[in-house]
Amino acid sequence: MIDGVMVKKLRVIPDERGKLMEMLRSDDPFFESFGQAYLTTAWPGVTKAWHYHKLQVDHFTVVRGMAKVVLYDDREDSKTKGEINEFFMGDQNPILVRIPNGVYHGFKNIGTEECIIVNTPSRKYDYDNPDEVRLPAHGSIIPYDWTRKDG
């Protein structure tokens, strides 16, 4: 596991009306601060990658569909520099992934419907001075191939 990455198995509480799923709580051991909450979506087969934040810590949860969330540690001072983590998360695996600042990340919708990711970052988005560094999804310095691995 990349240094600083944490995974939380989510608590799903179903009843005859539907379900409730807790994602991030202020009493979680890794909780730092609250900046905002937002959702992002992707159509089947779409990849949204790569970027990292200099200051912000992300907390990803897939609330509908299935996504492959991938992280790459390019931090010079990290003991896990060069490591890649893959998380298959969503309807079939309800987890939250804590993504430390400085770690590249992205995701691909691997399901058959639009996937929805809720992120609760530690800082709010600064429109005038965005806290992000971006690379293209394919063919960048990151040694990762987003194509499906059949076999």
Side-chain angles (χ1 to χ4, degrees):
M1 187 82 74
I2 291 173
D3 187 37
V5 173
M6 295 178 189
V7 177
K8 173 186 173 183
K9 180 75 174 150
L10 297 179
R11 181 175 183 211
V12 179
I13 305 164
D15 65 22
E16 65 272 8
R17 301 166 297 164
K19 66 183 174 185
L20 178 142
M21 182 173 70
E22 293 181 342
M23 293 182 286
L24 183 63
R25 297 172 47 101
S26 62
D27 59 356
D28 283 334
F30 54 82
F31 179 79
E32 295 175 36
S33 63
F34 173 79
Q36 68 180 54
Y38 70 85
L39 68 85
T40 183
T41 75
W43 299 115
V46 170
T47 300
K48 290 186 171 183
W50 294 98
H51 76 280
Y52 75 82
H53 305 286
K54 295 175 184 176
L55 303 171
Q56 174 177 306
V57 174
D58 284 338
H59 303 93
F60 274 25
T61 304
V62 179
V63 297
R64 183 173 126 199
M66 286 297 293
K68 175 172 60 172
V69 175
V70 182
L71 295 93
Y72 174 68
D73 190 355
D74 192 43
R75 299 171 294 177
E76 285 300 325
D77 59 343
S78 174
K79 62 185 174 189
T80 54
K81 181 174 174 40
E83 284 192 29
I84 291 174
N85 292 161
E86 289 180 319
F87 300 96
F88 296 90
M89 49 195 292
D91 294 338
Q92 306 305 314
N93 187 27
I95 60 174
L96 175 140
V97 174
R98 177 190 185 271
I99 305 168
N101 58 320
V103 172
Y104 280 103
H105 52 285
F107 69 93
K108 180 178 183 176
N109 181 341
I110 59 171
T112 59
E113 62 182 346
E114 180 183 31
C115 74
I116 300 173
I117 292 180
V118 172
N119 184 22
T120 311
S122 62
R123 302 172 64 90
K124 66 180 186 249
Y125 187 80
D126 183 344
Y127 296 101
D128 296 326
N129 188 21
D131 172 31
E132 57 188 21
V133 174
R134 293 194 168 274
L135 289 174
H138 308 282
S140 69
I141 61 163
I142 299 173
Y144 188 79
D145 180 0
W146 285 99
T147 58
R148 190 176 72 196
K149 283 106 177 136
D150 295 332

